[in-house]
Amino acid sequence: MDRIDADRLLGDLATLRSFGAHGNGVVRTMFSEIDVAAREWLVERMSEAGLEARIDGVGSVYGRSPNPGPAVVLGSHTDTQPEGGWLDGAMGVIHGLEVARALLADPATSHLAVDVASWADEEGTYGGFLGSRSFVGALTDEDFQATNADGESVQQVLDRLGWADRPRAELDPARHVAALESHIEQGPHLEHQGLRIGAVTAIVGIRGYEVVFSGQQNHAGTTPMDLRKDAAMAMFHFCSALDDRLRAAAGERSVWTVGQVSVEPGAPSIVPGRATIAIQFRDADDTVLDRMASVVEALVAERHSPDGVHVEITDRRRPLAPAPMESGVVAHVSAAAEAIAPGAWTHMPSAAGHDAQVLAPHLPTGMIFIPSINGVSHDFAEDSDHADIVLGAEVLADAVVRILS
Ligand SMILES: [Zn+2]
């Protein structure tokens, strides 16, 4: 397929990268001055491509095709983490722009309707997924009170920018038939397998627990070992057993993390009286998540000792369910991948969260991955091969034509 203009695509990505460039990476957090400038540039670029583009009432940039539906929505996000890479989100937005203008310019496809979005606040500088959640009608008043690290709320910043009363882009079931998000993988799997395209089957779900160990605080010199109720030592043994048992219960791509630990009072000469850990695990399959959850629950029940260290679950994080991509869209993405990159693609889950998981319950949604060099993301070092960036756009364009034909 020659309808994608590689120089134009990479040129726009380079320009977007210049907004907030920081060494190899980018700092462009939501609603920062540089983020607003990038959004204004994107509106111009979309308008030049023939889209009816504007910044909407929550800060998303939305470019509507002049063609009547059925329409496919393409896009991702242009906001970044406080230390972000140049492709996370940005690639999917510029891919959408390039595919929309390429299809509009080709007489064979100029009748197809492709809308393009840069969804606001995917990275959670405020509440996270603001733009995509607004699009599917899931925002509440509470979302407008979410604040950034400086304490400014979404409502305050929208008022300050003069965007608060603007209409918001909305999902139109009579027009929108599918959504596609292309993105860097942000992990190592494609690179390790020597593959170039991932047809995403589902976005992982997340479960989380807080577990508290309550023992007896005492003097670290005078308390004999056999009389101790050491909360920290109980916690270390628990974590070691947890790791072994989760390894046995988990799926091939399950991940688990004890990312937060506190020991109280936390002094070298005090036997700790209390310890708290946060356990999180992720998988694309709810039955695997159930299995991992029962490992945690069983281990807590087993280790709970009323005479020694009490172990209990004090918080179960609200489960985030896996978001399956729609099978018809996945089939079109797979067919496009096989046509453009025969033998160099695979089905795979997404281990990271994306706007696509917000859209998926509301309209048929799919995702396309390209490899991340060394599997690195959320870091200035994030990068991908330019040839893979172009290939991803070609697969995206082909998938759109298949969906709309
Ligand atoms: Zn992203």
Side-chain angles (χ1 to χ4, degrees), residues 113-175:
V114 177
D115 294 355
V116 183
S118 166
W119 307 116
D121 195 33
E122 193 270 351
E123 296 288 11
T125 299
Y126 296 80
F129 301 111
L130 194 62
S132 48
R133 289 195 297 126
S134 168
F135 186 69
V136 300
L139 284 193
T140 63
D141 290 347
E142 217 173 288
D143 290 305
F144 289 88
Q145 302 316 315
T147 55
N148 65 5
D150 297 331
E152 189 174 35
S153 72
V154 172
Q155 188 62 53
Q156 286 167 333
V157 73
L158 288 171
D159 286 338
R160 180 165 61 76
L161 292 167
W163 297 349
D165 295 329
R166 294 187 181 190
R168 293 195 247 145
E170 275 178 13
L171 174 64
D172 176 358
R175 172 177 171 80

Side-chain angles (χ1 to χ4, degrees), residues 14-140:
T15 305
L16 180 52
R17 183 184 198 168
S18 73
F19 289 92
H22 206 280
N24 197 59
V26 174
V27 177
R28 199 168 53 229
T29 50
M30 188 67 211
F31 291 132
S32 63
E33 206 173 313
I34 203 73
D35 171 72
V36 169
R39 282 170 203 281
E40 285 164 350
W41 168 80
L42 185 60
V43 167
E44 264 173 55
R45 240 13 217 142
M46 285 183 177
S47 303
E48 286 161 17
L51 301 172
E52 295 154 6
R54 60 163 191 250
I55 297 170
D56 83 351
V58 288
S60 292
V61 179
Y62 198 85
R64 191 179 197 277
S65 168
N67 293 332
V72 172
V73 188
L74 303 182
S76 189
H77 60 97
T78 50
D79 65 317
T80 72
Q81 287 282 319
E83 291 193 8
W86 71 290
L87 292 168
D88 179 359
M91 185 190 76
V93 173
I94 301 301
H95 268 178
L97 169 64
E98 176 58 26
V99 169
R101 69 188 160 197
L103 296 185
L104 279 174
D106 182 343
T109 53
S110 60
H111 61 288
L112 301 178
V114 177
D115 294 355
V116 183
S118 166
W119 307 116
D121 195 33
E122 193 270 351
E123 296 288 11
T125 299
Y126 296 80
F129 301 111
L130 194 62
S132 48
R133 289 195 297 126
S134 168
F135 186 69
V136 300
L139 284 193
T140 63

Side-chain angles (χ1 to χ4, degrees), residues 62 80-81 96 131 142 271 280 294 308 317 334 341 354 377 405:
Y62 198 85
T80 72
Q81 287 282 319
E142 217 173 288
V271 176
Q280 186 203 76
S294 38
R317 180 188 155 147
S334 305
H354 297 289
S377 187
S405 298

